[in-house]
Amino acid sequence: MVLGYPLIVIMPLRTELIPKIAFLCQALDVDDDEGLSECLKRKEVVALLCKMPSILEYNVKKRLIPRLEKVRSVLNAPRISSDILQIIATKTDSRFNEWLCHERKKQDGNFVDTKESEEIEPNDRENDDIEISTKRPDGEPCAYVIVSNLQSGNNIGNIIRSASIFGCDECLVVGQKRYRLTGDHGARFDLPRRHFYSHLDAKNYLRQKQSSRDNKDKQVRVYGVEIMANARPIMKYDPKTGVVRFPFDRKWKGAAFIFGNEGQGLSEKQREVCDEFLFIPQTRGGSRRGKGSASMNVACAAAVVLQAYCTWAGFSDALIQGEKFLSDSPPDVNEKY
């Protein structure tokens, strides 16, 4: 064990090693009342440590125990196998939640194995199959994000996460049906996504949605987020009056935001569907000598823009419990965890 994982030699015994060994005994349903030395003699614990000694690197209180309790509660599994324990320890939050949902569906008999890659999130649902899950109060603006021409799956995931957090109705995905999606932390289960092959199709869909509602004269305004001469700032503060002004107007039904590529910005096809352009003012920029940064990361920019729109639109705040915001919708296995 020491030869396979030498870091165990310098690991604090009382604060780290003992709690982690005790957790393994608990997870594998091994009686650890006899102490650490006796627990380590159990073949289940020894086999797991030899197979995956890196499990000792994970935080017991913040990561391992909460996930173990979720698995036991959702799957009704008092005894956990070493394979499941490896999943509990190593998967990211979004992957763990996704795996847990799939396992629950298997138990219920409603699971269909799509054999999708962990690195790829396929979206092969037809447009008419997905309905907007967010019902707006009368007069409250709607909100959409349009995701296209992005290279990083982590950026896509974080944009979807921000869109979910700040109350968007849908995420419209333009381009390929298969794309990388990481870092969303479960937002994929909350925010509906709809696929289109062209930006024009996405804009026509928004026009169709606006005409199907009560006020047919109001339109969904498409905003391109880009640093350019004719773009308006996302917000402007007047220190004399203390007033913050936003570039939005209640005469529109709502807003759809489209963000440019990480390196090239908005493409010509993206710009063609935009009604207006916005930018985020910076206090400092980049230089030709490579100092500073000339623009924000696209996922960070999306968070700033969507929070500004959420504030202007007057979306209600989510409930707070401890240090987290909670969903006010009825709990299910997808949202609870």
Side-chain angles (χ1 to χ4, degrees):
M1 175 66 190
V2 174
L3 293 177
Y5 191 70
L7 290 178
I8 196 174
V9 176
I10 61 173
M11 188 173 290
L13 183 64
R14 189 174 299 275
T15 59
E16 289 194 29
L17 189 57
I18 291 179
K20 290 174 181 178
I21 297 299
F23 165 78
L24 295 180
C25 293
Q26 176 193 2
L28 297 173
D29 199 25
V30 175
D31 187 6
D32 61 337
D33 291 339
E34 297 180 358
L36 177 65
S37 59
E38 293 299 320
C39 186
L40 284 173
K41 294 179 182 179
R42 302 284 185 171
K43 61 180 182 179
E44 300 96 327
V45 177
V46 174
L48 179 62
L49 288 174
C50 291
K51 177 183 178 181
M52 193 182 64
S54 60
I55 196 172
L56 296 174
E57 299 175 9
Y58 296 97
N59 189 291
V60 173
K61 290 184 178 181
K62 293 183 178 181
R63 184 184 185 93
L64 299 180
I65 290 180
R67 288 187 173 190
L68 176 64
E69 292 175 351
K70 287 181 183 180
V71 170
R72 285 179 167 171
S73 174
V74 174
L75 303 183
N76 192 25
R79 183 176 178 82
I80 304 298
S81 68
S82 59
D83 291 337
I84 293 180
L85 197 55
Q86 184 174 356
I87 291 173
I88 289 174
T90 59
K91 281 189 176 293
T92 63
D93 288 340
S94 59
R95 297 300 179 193
F96 171 74
N97 290 333
E98 186 176 7
W99 169 83
L100 192 60
C101 292
H102 287 180
E103 290 299 311
R104 174 61 179 269
K105 290 177 182 177
K106 283 182 180 180
Q107 286 189 350
D108 295 341
N110 298 325
F111 177 75
V112 177
D113 188 4
T114 59
K115 297 182 179 180
E116 58 187 275
S117 166
E118 285 198 350
E119 293 297 321
I120 301 294
E121 176 69 17
N123 190 336
D124 55 1
R125 297 172 293 188
E126 294 297 327
N127 290 352
D128 295 336
D129 291 341
I130 313 170
E131 295 296 330
I132 295 178
S133 62
T134 305
K135 294 184 178 180
R136 296 285 179 200
D138 292 340
E140 185 176 84
C142 55
Y144 302 85
V145 289
I146 302 175
V147 173
S148 68
N149 198 29
L150 294 176
Q151 298 171 323
S152 169
N154 194 56
N155 281 336
I156 295 174
N158 276 288
I159 289 175
I160 291 175
R161 183 180 182 183
S162 294
S164 170
I165 286 172
F166 295 121
C168 287
D169 294 77
E170 275 186 304
C171 173
L172 311 184
V173 181
V174 178
Q176 299 183 84
K177 278 194 172 183
R178 296 182 67 87
Y179 51 91
R180 295 183 62 218
L181 175 55
T182 58
D184 63 292
H185 286 255
R188 72 182 71 182
F189 302 120
D190 175 67
L191 184 70
R193 282 166 287 145
R194 188 180 297 270
H195 175 263
F196 300 91
Y197 284 109
S198 73
H199 295 92
L200 185 59
D201 288 341
K203 187 164 186 176
N204 287 338
Y205 167 74
L206 294 174
R207 289 173 177 169
Q208 177 187 353
K209 297 303 292 184
Q210 73 201 27
S211 64
S212 64
R213 299 198 178 185
D214 296 335
N215 194 334
K216 297 182 179 181
D217 296 329
K218 287 190 173 184
Q219 299 180 358
V220 176
R221 192 82 164 162
V222 179
Y223 295 93
V225 181
E226 185 62 278
I227 303 169
M228 51 195 305
N230 62 338
R232 300 169 64 189
I234 190 64
M235 65 177 70
K236 196 169 185 179
Y237 172 70
D238 187 341
K240 294 182 179 180
T241 62
V243 174
V244 178
R245 299 189 181 278
F246 298 90
F248 313 114
D249 198 310
R250 294 283 173 176
K251 69 180 180 181
W252 307 118
K253 186 71 177 179
F257 299 97
I258 184 167
F259 304 92
N261 176 266
E262 292 91 338
Q264 305 300 321
L266 289 175
S267 67
E268 286 301 318
K269 291 187 179 296
Q270 288 175 315
R271 297 185 188 213
E272 288 174 1
V273 298
C274 295
D275 299 306
E276 194 173 338
F277 297 95
L278 306 174
F279 76 98
I280 302 170
Q282 292 187 196
T283 301
R284 298 174 67 178
S287 70
R288 294 181 179 179
R289 293 174 293 179
K291 294 182 179 180
S293 181
S295 65
M296 295 181 67
N297 167 269
V298 63
C300 296
V304 172
V305 170
L306 294 174
Q307 200 281 333
Y309 184 79
C310 170
T311 301
W312 171 84
F315 294 166
S316 59
D317 293 341
L319 301 174
I320 297 177
Q321 184 178 83
E323 298 176 346
K324 302 287 185 179
F325 287 99
L326 301 180
S327 170
D328 58 357
S329 57
D332 59 29
V333 67
N334 286 353
E335 294 177 341
K336 185 177 180 181
Y337 299 109

